[in-house]
Amino acid sequence: MLFAMQNKTTITTILTKAEEGVRITSEEALILFESYDVLSLGRSANIIARKKNGSIVSYIVDRNINYTNICTALCSFCAFSRKPEDPEAYLLTYDEIERKVVEMIELGGTQVLLQGGLHPTLPLPWYTDLIALMKKKFPQVVFHAFSPPELLHIAETSHVTVREVIQALREAGWRSMPGGGAEILSEHARIKMGKIKATTAEWLDVMERCHEEAIGTSATMMFGHVETTNDRIEHLDNVRNLQDRTGGFRAFIPWVFQPGNNPLGKKIAHKATAFEYLQTLAISRIFLDNVRNIQGSWVTMGEKVGQLSLLFGANDLG
């Protein structure tokens, strides 16, 4: 009983410090992860979120357009990718992408999340011409496009540097990139996951170069698979450290690994629970003191848990 009381006091001290705007350490984050008092975590995360953003909760009407499912990576956690010879493989034409954008606009959408597999033959001009065309036809639409692994792949196949890819896309009108490919920013976990598109260092380096070129991005974390609590904390620490240097992350989005129809999922004994999701979401808000927006997810967790996320540190609903 005495240990439990001391532990409760320690957690209260950490949360009070965070609410007052004092940065918590990785060691203190571990203590929070070891706590089952998810309601106290949620309360503090909610206080911090409201201090940063007031009572405003944001959302956006957008559409995901995956321009191709052909991918050379074949990551262990992916149910999407196909080989070029697969009968289900596809590459959308510019006209097909345009029609999808028009459909979105007619439904009140304002943003396209545009991503795809690592196609083996598409050159850099295919991407720059696509962005230039879409921005010319739809100047009012934000094209939240590509990811660090895609940029690394384009650079490799086009025999240019990543910075040259970023600058060429920016010249075409590209200004925003999602945080895909982060998974868990810990090499310890990435090695256990098996095949993956980029290393931790590569993902962070591409993000830093994007921020230097005034490309705003989000950061993500996929958890609930082979990673440990320490891996999650390392991920959060990597994001916080880069944000200290660049300030380029607009939002952080944690989500739970989906084990269906992929090799990694066959190795996972259970899917992360709603409790674990809300705990991780709240700690993300508490730890990432330099990231303004934390996004909750109804897509992976369902509508009710998505609503609850707005009481556990999220101020945006994806």
Side-chain angles (χ1 to χ4, degrees), residues 154-220:
I154 295 167
E156 180 180 357
T157 56
S158 298
H159 307 291
V160 296
T161 66
V162 170
R163 188 174 294 280
E164 287 173 320
V165 172
I166 294 169
Q167 290 172 341
L169 287 168
R170 191 179 189 284
E171 186 175 342
W174 176 65
R175 293 293 184 276
S176 183
M177 184 174 72
E183 326 315 349
I184 284 287
L185 297 175
S186 162
E187 285 308 293
H188 171 262
R190 292 171 100 80
I191 290 170
K192 286 198 296 181
M193 288 174 72
K195 187 167 177 58
I196 204 163
K197 295 186 288 286
T199 67
T200 296
E202 287 173 333
W203 189 93
L204 291 168
D205 181 66
V206 173
M207 281 293 179
E208 186 159 8
R209 291 174 187 272
C210 283
H211 296 169
E212 290 170 352
E213 297 291 337
I215 304 299
T217 75
S218 57
T220 61

Side-chain angles (χ1 to χ4, degrees), residues 36-53:
Y36 289 97
D37 189 0
V38 70
L39 294 181
S40 291
L41 296 177
R43 176 186 175 276
S44 290
N46 192 44
I47 288 171
I48 294 167
R50 300 303 163 236
K51 283 184 176 180
K52 287 184 177 295
N53 299 288

Side-chain angles (χ1 to χ4, degrees), residues 39 58 65 105 109 132 149 153 176 207 218 228 276 280 293 309 314:
L39 294 181
S58 57
I65 300 178
I105 292 172
H153 180 72
S176 183
M207 281 293 179
S218 57
T228 66
E276 190 174 359
T280 301
N293 301 299
S309 73

Side-chain angles (χ1 to χ4, degrees), residues 82-153:
R82 297 291 185 271
K83 296 179 180 179
E85 65 274 13
D86 195 293
E88 296 179 333
Y90 71 83
L91 171 64
L92 298 181
T93 65
Y94 288 3
D95 286 342
E96 288 173 321
I97 294 171
E98 181 180 340
R99 284 197 294 271
K100 290 177 180 291
V101 177
V102 170
E103 290 171 355
M104 181 204 72
I105 292 172
E106 290 174 347
L107 292 170
T110 60
Q111 175 178 284
V112 169
L113 193 153
L114 182 67
Q115 291 184 306
L118 308 185
H119 195 286
T121 61
L122 292 181
L124 176 57
W126 188 92
Y127 300 90
T128 55
D129 290 350
L130 172 62
I131 291 296
L133 177 64
M134 293 299 118
K135 290 303 295 181
K136 180 180 180 180
K137 287 180 174 288
F138 311 108
Q140 77 278 27
V141 173
V142 174
F143 286 87
H144 191 48
F146 312 126
S147 66
E150 285 169 271
L151 299 193
L152 287 164
H153 180 72

